[in-house]
Amino acid sequence: MPPTPTAASPSAAAPAASARTSADAAPALAQRLDAARPYALSAFRIVVGLLFACHGAASLFGVLGGAAGTNGGTIEAGTWPGWYAAVIQLVAGALVLLGVGTRTGALIASGSMAYAYFDVHQSMALWPIQNGGEASAMFCWAFLLLVFTGPGALSLDRLFSRRG
């Protein structure tokens, strides 16, 4: 019968300790990342909401370079669908940015970007890279994700619900 390695044996202890360390590192990292998930989700929500609101502000007020194709100008009030899309972008983007009515704002924003993609871009070519619809597609899916995940840890909705 071969001798059993003991804890005092350096050849047996070293591989076991290193295997344990690398095996424990993955779950520890996963736990730390899981703990940060609500904050990462909030950061994602804030950035997506800000970028979307900037699109609306550019089209409505001529800031940040103005509406696309206008050399710094704005979209004429009441024109379909551009002006209405810009209002949705500004309002829904601000709601999502602040974390107020995130799911509702994100649903409206996602739907407006789906409409933009299929009505404006899809008729030019099949793929977003070909038809210039990458931003519409990405915003659509990003907002749809927020419909299901909610605002994350840092939002005005969460702040108000704690005080109430």
Side-chain angles (χ1 to χ4, degrees):
M1 180 168 186
T4 339
T6 63
S9 167
S11 62
S18 66
R20 208 174 313 116
T21 304
S22 63
D24 293 342
L29 177 61
Q31 287 176 346
R32 293 176 81 176
L33 291 173
D34 286 344
R37 182 182 300 151
Y39 301 99
L41 178 60
S42 291
F44 175 79
R45 184 201 82 240
I46 290 166
V47 168
V48 169
L50 175 64
L51 292 174
F52 203 59
C54 285
H55 274 280
S59 297
L60 293 173
F61 308 121
V63 296
L64 306 168
T70 65
N71 290 331
T74 61
I75 294 176
E76 188 177 332
T79 58
W80 178 259
W83 186 81
Y84 294 95
V87 170
I88 289 171
Q89 290 167 359
L90 182 63
V91 173
L95 290 173
V96 169
L97 167 67
L98 297 171
V100 179
T102 300
R103 291 176 193 246
T104 303
L107 181 64
I108 292 167
S110 179
S112 75
M113 288 295 96
Y115 175 83
Y117 182 77
F118 288 111
D119 187 61
V120 176
H121 299 285
Q122 184 84 59
S123 63
M124 292 183 243
L126 176 63
W127 296 102
I129 193 78
Q130 296 171 312
N131 63 29
E134 294 116 319
S136 296
M138 289 295 291
F139 273 125
C140 178
W141 286 103
F143 284 119
L144 189 62
L145 177 65
L146 290 171
V147 169
F148 288 96
T149 60
L154 307 172
S155 70
L156 289 181
D157 273 347
R158 203 168 281 242
L159 179 68
F160 294 147
S161 69
R162 286 185 193 158
R163 291 185 178 180

